[in-house]
PDB file of all heavy atoms in Angstrom:
ATOM      1  N   MET A   1       0.881  -1.175   0.011  1.00  0.00           N
ATOM      2  CA  MET A   1       0.004   0.053  -0.074  1.00  0.00           C
ATOM      3  C   MET A   1       0.923   1.318  -0.060  1.00  0.00           C
ATOM      4  O   MET A   1       1.855   1.317   0.698  1.00  0.00           O
ATOM      5  CB  MET A   1      -0.969  -0.048   1.271  1.00  0.00           C
ATOM      6  CG  MET A   1      -2.059   0.866   1.124  1.00  0.00           C
ATOM      7  SD  MET A   1      -3.047   0.833   2.728  1.00  0.00           S
ATOM      8  CE  MET A   1      -4.097  -0.592   2.422  1.00  0.00           C
ATOM      9  N   THR A  11       3.598  13.522   2.751  1.00  0.00           N
ATOM     10  CA  THR A  11       4.329  14.730   3.393  1.00  0.00           C
ATOM     11  C   THR A  11       5.590  14.834   2.610  1.00  0.00           C
ATOM     12  O   THR A  11       6.405  13.917   2.477  1.00  0.00           O
ATOM     13  CB  THR A  11       4.737  14.285   4.873  1.00  0.00           C
ATOM     14  OG1 THR A  11       3.476  13.854   5.477  1.00  0.00           O
ATOM     15  CG2 THR A  11       5.363  15.426   5.532  1.00  0.00           C
ATOM     16  N   LEU A  16      14.422  17.796  -0.047  1.00  0.00           N
ATOM     17  CA  LEU A  16      14.256  17.900  -1.494  1.00  0.00           C
ATOM     18  C   LEU A  16      13.739  19.214  -2.003  1.00  0.00           C
ATOM     19  O   LEU A  16      13.734  19.441  -3.118  1.00  0.00           O
ATOM     20  CB  LEU A  16      13.426  16.745  -1.988  1.00  0.00           C
ATOM     21  CG  LEU A  16      13.695  15.386  -1.827  1.00  0.00           C
ATOM     22  CD1 LEU A  16      12.733  14.402  -2.622  1.00  0.00           C
ATOM     23  CD2 LEU A  16      15.166  15.071  -2.411  1.00  0.00           C
ATOM     24  N   ALA A  43      -4.139  13.570 -11.334  1.00  0.00           N
ATOM     25  CA  ALA A  43      -4.521  13.620  -9.881  1.00  0.00           C
ATOM     26  C   ALA A  43      -4.979  12.305  -9.300  1.00  0.00           C
ATOM     27  O   ALA A  43      -4.821  12.245  -8.042  1.00  0.00           O
ATOM     28  CB  ALA A  43      -5.562  14.780  -9.633  1.00  0.00           C
ATOM     29  N   LYS A  58       0.947  21.722 -21.086  1.00  0.00           N
ATOM     30  CA  LYS A  58       1.032  21.502 -22.481  1.00  0.00           C
ATOM     31  C   LYS A  58       1.256  22.763 -23.254  1.00  0.00           C
ATOM     32  O   LYS A  58       0.668  23.814 -22.950  1.00  0.00           O
ATOM     33  CB  LYS A  58      -0.229  20.777 -23.008  1.00  0.00           C
ATOM     34  CG  LYS A  58      -0.280  20.641 -24.418  1.00  0.00           C
ATOM     35  CD  LYS A  58       0.726  19.711 -25.077  1.00  0.00           C
ATOM     36  CE  LYS A  58       0.776  19.740 -26.566  1.00  0.00           C
ATOM     37  NZ  LYS A  58       2.103  19.231 -27.081  1.00  0.00           N
ATOM     38  N   PRO A  69      -1.709  15.556 -38.378  1.00  0.00           N
ATOM     39  CA  PRO A  69      -2.509  14.275 -38.597  1.00  0.00           C
ATOM     40  C   PRO A  69      -1.659  13.023 -38.003  1.00  0.00           C
ATOM     41  O   PRO A  69      -0.454  13.119 -37.830  1.00  0.00           O
ATOM     42  CB  PRO A  69      -2.504  14.184 -40.217  1.00  0.00           C
ATOM     43  CG  PRO A  69      -1.302  15.156 -40.566  1.00  0.00           C
ATOM     44  CD  PRO A  69      -1.159  16.112 -39.589  1.00  0.00           C
ATOM     45  N   PRO A  71      -0.346   8.937 -37.751  1.00  0.00           N
ATOM     46  CA  PRO A  71       0.059   8.626 -36.364  1.00  0.00           C
ATOM     47  C   PRO A  71       1.004   9.699 -35.820  1.00  0.00           C
ATOM     48  O   PRO A  71       1.790  10.272 -36.549  1.00  0.00           O
ATOM     49  CB  PRO A  71       0.677   7.298 -36.337  1.00  0.00           C
ATOM     50  CG  PRO A  71       0.558   6.829 -37.860  1.00  0.00           C
ATOM     51  CD  PRO A  71       0.099   7.921 -38.689  1.00  0.00           C
ATOM     52  N   ILE A  73       2.598   9.250 -32.689  1.00  0.00           N
ATOM     53  CA  ILE A  73       3.546   8.665 -31.717  1.00  0.00           C
ATOM     54  C   ILE A  73       4.066   7.336 -32.293  1.00  0.00           C
ATOM     55  O   ILE A  73       3.378   6.584 -32.833  1.00  0.00           O
ATOM     56  CB  ILE A  73       2.799   8.313 -30.420  1.00  0.00           C
ATOM     57  CG1 ILE A  73       2.234   9.557 -29.633  1.00  0.00           C
ATOM     58  CG2 ILE A  73       3.678   7.466 -29.406  1.00  0.00           C
ATOM     59  CD1 ILE A  73       3.267  10.255 -28.698  1.00  0.00           C
ATOM     60  N   PRO A  77      13.551   2.000 -30.165  1.00  0.00           N
ATOM     61  CA  PRO A  77      14.334   1.410 -29.166  1.00  0.00           C
ATOM     62  C   PRO A  77      14.752   2.549 -28.142  1.00  0.00           C
ATOM     63  O   PRO A  77      15.315   3.468 -28.401  1.00  0.00           O
ATOM     64  CB  PRO A  77      15.568   0.872 -29.910  1.00  0.00           C
ATOM     65  CG  PRO A  77      15.148   0.761 -31.241  1.00  0.00           C
ATOM     66  CD  PRO A  77      14.047   1.831 -31.627  1.00  0.00           C
ATOM     67  N   VAL A 118       8.502  36.880 -33.004  1.00  0.00           N
ATOM     68  CA  VAL A 118       9.004  37.536 -31.690  1.00  0.00           C
ATOM     69  C   VAL A 118       7.817  38.285 -30.965  1.00  0.00           C
ATOM     70  O   VAL A 118       7.563  38.110 -29.776  1.00  0.00           O
ATOM     71  CB  VAL A 118      10.194  38.548 -31.929  1.00  0.00           C
ATOM     72  CG1 VAL A 118      10.552  39.167 -30.718  1.00  0.00           C
ATOM     73  CG2 VAL A 118      11.373  37.689 -32.624  1.00  0.00           C
ATOM     74  N   TRP A 123       3.362  38.635 -26.841  1.00  0.00           N
ATOM     75  CA  TRP A 123       1.874  38.698 -26.643  1.00  0.00           C
ATOM     76  C   TRP A 123       1.524  37.462 -25.759  1.00  0.00           C
ATOM     77  O   TRP A 123       0.649  37.565 -24.730  1.00  0.00           O
ATOM     78  CB  TRP A 123       1.105  38.670 -27.944  1.00  0.00           C
ATOM     79  CG  TRP A 123      -0.432  38.664 -27.726  1.00  0.00           C
ATOM     80  CD1 TRP A 123      -1.135  39.935 -27.707  1.00  0.00           C
ATOM     81  CD2 TRP A 123      -1.317  37.646 -27.565  1.00  0.00           C
ATOM     82  NE1 TRP A 123      -2.457  39.482 -27.431  1.00  0.00           N
ATOM     83  CE2 TRP A 123      -2.612  38.138 -27.350  1.00  0.00           C
ATOM     84  CE3 TRP A 123      -1.108  36.192 -27.390  1.00  0.00           C
ATOM     85  CZ2 TRP A 123      -3.718  37.322 -26.993  1.00  0.00           C
ATOM     86  CZ3 TRP A 123      -2.312  35.461 -27.072  1.00  0.00           C
ATOM     87  CH2 TRP A 123      -3.495  35.977 -26.965  1.00  0.00           C
ATOM     88  N   PHE A 152      13.225  28.906 -34.100  1.00  0.00           N
ATOM     89  CA  PHE A 152      13.749  30.006 -33.395  1.00  0.00           C
ATOM     90  C   PHE A 152      15.142  29.633 -32.752  1.00  0.00           C
ATOM     91  O   PHE A 152      16.154  30.391 -32.715  1.00  0.00           O
ATOM     92  CB  PHE A 152      12.835  30.571 -32.203  1.00  0.00           C
ATOM     93  CG  PHE A 152      11.657  31.386 -32.830  1.00  0.00           C
ATOM     94  CD1 PHE A 152      10.475  30.569 -33.103  1.00  0.00           C
ATOM     95  CD2 PHE A 152      11.649  32.633 -32.950  1.00  0.00           C
ATOM     96  CE1 PHE A 152       9.419  31.223 -33.565  1.00  0.00           C
ATOM     97  CE2 PHE A 152      10.540  33.289 -33.413  1.00  0.00           C
ATOM     98  CZ  PHE A 152       9.422  32.679 -33.726  1.00  0.00           C
ATOM     99  N   VAL A 162      14.036  36.955 -28.768  1.00  0.00           N
ATOM    100  CA  VAL A 162      12.795  36.400 -28.202  1.00  0.00           C
ATOM    101  C   VAL A 162      12.841  36.660 -26.633  1.00  0.00           C
ATOM    102  O   VAL A 162      11.870  37.086 -25.958  1.00  0.00           O
ATOM    103  CB  VAL A 162      12.647  34.934 -28.573  1.00  0.00           C
ATOM    104  CG1 VAL A 162      11.533  34.325 -27.709  1.00  0.00           C
ATOM    105  CG2 VAL A 162      12.306  34.728 -30.072  1.00  0.00           C
ATOM    106  N   VAL A 166      10.200  38.815 -24.330  1.00  0.00           N
ATOM    107  CA  VAL A 166       9.423  38.235 -23.312  1.00  0.00           C
ATOM    108  C   VAL A 166       9.695  38.879 -22.002  1.00  0.00           C
ATOM    109  O   VAL A 166       8.864  39.329 -21.240  1.00  0.00           O
ATOM    110  CB  VAL A 166       9.650  36.741 -23.384  1.00  0.00           C
ATOM    111  CG1 VAL A 166       9.008  36.136 -22.017  1.00  0.00           C
ATOM    112  CG2 VAL A 166       9.134  36.075 -24.547  1.00  0.00           C
ATOM    113  N   GLU A 187      26.383  28.423 -27.159  1.00  0.00           N
ATOM    114  CA  GLU A 187      26.063  29.818 -27.654  1.00  0.00           C
ATOM    115  C   GLU A 187      24.589  30.236 -27.535  1.00  0.00           C
ATOM    116  O   GLU A 187      24.272  31.456 -27.326  1.00  0.00           O
ATOM    117  CB  GLU A 187      26.668  30.151 -29.086  1.00  0.00           C
ATOM    118  CG  GLU A 187      26.002  29.282 -30.210  1.00  0.00           C
ATOM    119  CD  GLU A 187      26.440  29.703 -31.580  1.00  0.00           C
ATOM    120  OE1 GLU A 187      27.127  30.716 -31.646  1.00  0.00           O
ATOM    121  OE2 GLU A 187      26.006  29.024 -32.470  1.00  0.00           O
ATOM    122  N   GLU A 193      20.993  34.213 -21.627  1.00  0.00           N
ATOM    123  CA  GLU A 193      21.494  35.080 -20.557  1.00  0.00           C
ATOM    124  C   GLU A 193      21.724  36.520 -20.946  1.00  0.00           C
ATOM    125  O   GLU A 193      21.233  37.396 -20.186  1.00  0.00           O
ATOM    126  CB  GLU A 193      23.007  34.451 -20.093  1.00  0.00           C
ATOM    127  CG  GLU A 193      23.413  34.992 -18.793  1.00  0.00           C
ATOM    128  CD  GLU A 193      24.678  34.227 -18.263  1.00  0.00           C
ATOM    129  OE1 GLU A 193      25.491  33.844 -19.083  1.00  0.00           O
ATOM    130  OE2 GLU A 193      24.754  33.995 -17.034  1.00  0.00           O
ATOM    131  N   VAL A 200      17.384  28.463 -18.016  1.00  0.00           N
ATOM    132  CA  VAL A 200      17.267  27.634 -19.321  1.00  0.00           C
ATOM    133  C   VAL A 200      16.759  26.315 -18.875  1.00  0.00           C
ATOM    134  O   VAL A 200      17.104  25.844 -17.808  1.00  0.00           O
ATOM    135  CB  VAL A 200      18.511  27.594 -20.109  1.00  0.00           C
ATOM    136  CG1 VAL A 200      18.861  28.841 -20.905  1.00  0.00           C
ATOM    137  CG2 VAL A 200      19.770  27.236 -19.292  1.00  0.00           C
ATOM    138  N   LEU A 202      16.698  22.476 -20.670  1.00  0.00           N
ATOM    139  CA  LEU A 202      17.197  21.695 -21.856  1.00  0.00           C
ATOM    140  C   LEU A 202      17.270  20.231 -21.561  1.00  0.00           C
ATOM    141  O   LEU A 202      17.561  19.934 -20.353  1.00  0.00           O
ATOM    142  CB  LEU A 202      18.537  22.274 -22.305  1.00  0.00           C
ATOM    143  CG  LEU A 202      19.832  22.323 -21.321  1.00  0.00           C
ATOM    144  CD1 LEU A 202      21.053  21.910 -22.202  1.00  0.00           C
ATOM    145  CD2 LEU A 202      19.879  23.564 -20.594  1.00  0.00           C
ATOM    146  N   GLY A 208      13.848  13.365 -35.403  1.00  0.00           N
ATOM    147  CA  GLY A 208      14.090  11.984 -35.828  1.00  0.00           C
ATOM    148  C   GLY A 208      13.040  11.425 -36.877  1.00  0.00           C
ATOM    149  O   GLY A 208      12.112  12.223 -37.264  1.00  0.00           O
ATOM    150  N   GLY A 229      13.046  10.343 -24.374  1.00  0.00           N
ATOM    151  CA  GLY A 229      13.135   9.071 -23.627  1.00  0.00           C
ATOM    152  C   GLY A 229      14.640   8.757 -23.441  1.00  0.00           C
ATOM    153  O   GLY A 229      15.575   9.456 -23.755  1.00  0.00           O
ATOM    154  N   PRO A 234      22.070  10.650 -22.710  1.00  0.00           N
ATOM    155  CA  PRO A 234      23.474  11.002 -22.775  1.00  0.00           C
ATOM    156  C   PRO A 234      23.679  12.318 -23.526  1.00  0.00           C
ATOM    157  O   PRO A 234      24.538  13.169 -23.061  1.00  0.00           O
ATOM    158  CB  PRO A 234      24.306   9.881 -23.461  1.00  0.00           C
ATOM    159  CG  PRO A 234      23.343   8.717 -23.321  1.00  0.00           C
ATOM    160  CD  PRO A 234      21.887   9.280 -23.310  1.00  0.00           C
ATOM    161  N   HIS A 241      25.896  19.748 -18.890  1.00  0.00           N
ATOM    162  CA  HIS A 241      27.235  19.988 -18.365  1.00  0.00           C
ATOM    163  C   HIS A 241      27.924  21.105 -19.092  1.00  0.00           C
ATOM    164  O   HIS A 241      28.521  21.962 -18.423  1.00  0.00           O
ATOM    165  CB  HIS A 241      27.972  18.636 -18.503  1.00  0.00           C
ATOM    166  CG  HIS A 241      29.268  18.587 -17.715  1.00  0.00           C
ATOM    167  ND1 HIS A 241      30.470  18.471 -18.459  1.00  0.00           N
ATOM    168  CD2 HIS A 241      29.527  18.727 -16.493  1.00  0.00           C
ATOM    169  CE1 HIS A 241      31.406  18.462 -17.591  1.00  0.00           C
ATOM    170  NE2 HIS A 241      30.946  18.595 -16.340  1.00  0.00           N
ATOM    171  N   ILE A 257      15.015  11.082 -18.415  1.00  0.00           N
ATOM    172  CA  ILE A 257      15.067  10.755 -16.942  1.00  0.00           C
ATOM    173  C   ILE A 257      13.901   9.782 -16.628  1.00  0.00           C
ATOM    174  O   ILE A 257      12.806  10.025 -16.805  1.00  0.00           O
ATOM    175  CB  ILE A 257      14.916  12.039 -16.101  1.00  0.00           C
ATOM    176  CG1 ILE A 257      16.109  12.954 -16.358  1.00  0.00           C
ATOM    177  CG2 ILE A 257      14.777  11.635 -14.543  1.00  0.00           C
ATOM    178  CD1 ILE A 257      16.066  14.329 -15.458  1.00  0.00           C
ATOM    179  N   GLY A 296      16.174   8.834  -1.102  1.00  0.00           N
ATOM    180  CA  GLY A 296      16.977   7.693  -0.622  1.00  0.00           C
ATOM    181  C   GLY A 296      18.477   8.034  -0.725  1.00  0.00           C
ATOM    182  O   GLY A 296      19.346   7.769   0.095  1.00  0.00           O
ATOM    183  N   GLU A 299      19.588  10.522   1.928  1.00  0.00           N
ATOM    184  CA  GLU A 299      19.845   9.773   3.189  1.00  0.00           C
ATOM    185  C   GLU A 299      21.066   8.971   3.107  1.00  0.00           C
ATOM    186  O   GLU A 299      21.904   9.128   4.097  1.00  0.00           O
ATOM    187  CB  GLU A 299      18.573   8.758   3.418  1.00  0.00           C
ATOM    188  CG  GLU A 299      17.337   9.340   3.906  1.00  0.00           C
ATOM    189  CD  GLU A 299      17.571  10.401   5.039  1.00  0.00           C
ATOM    190  OE1 GLU A 299      18.240   9.967   6.026  1.00  0.00           O
ATOM    191  OE2 GLU A 299      17.062  11.437   4.918  1.00  0.00           O
ATOM    192  N   HIS A 314      32.835  15.637 -10.401  1.00  0.00           N
ATOM    193  CA  HIS A 314      34.306  15.955 -10.500  1.00  0.00           C
ATOM    194  C   HIS A 314      34.760  15.885 -11.812  1.00  0.00           C
ATOM    195  O   HIS A 314      34.238  14.947 -12.662  1.00  0.00           O
ATOM    196  CB  HIS A 314      35.104  15.021  -9.550  1.00  0.00           C
ATOM    197  CG  HIS A 314      34.701  15.032  -8.154  1.00  0.00           C
ATOM    198  ND1 HIS A 314      34.769  16.206  -7.311  1.00  0.00           N
ATOM    199  CD2 HIS A 314      34.253  14.014  -7.292  1.00  0.00           C
ATOM    200  CE1 HIS A 314      34.423  15.865  -6.165  1.00  0.00           C
ATOM    201  NE2 HIS A 314      34.035  14.642  -6.104  1.00  0.00           N
TER     202      HIS A 314
END
Side-chain angles (χ1 to χ4, degrees):
M1 194 180 279
T11 308
L16 292 188
K58 172 64 193 163
I73 296 270
V118 175
W123 183 91
F152 287 90
V162 169
V166 171
E187 64 168 357
E193 192 170 38
V200 281
L202 61 147
H241 190 242
I257 295 178
E299 279 318 306
H314 300 299

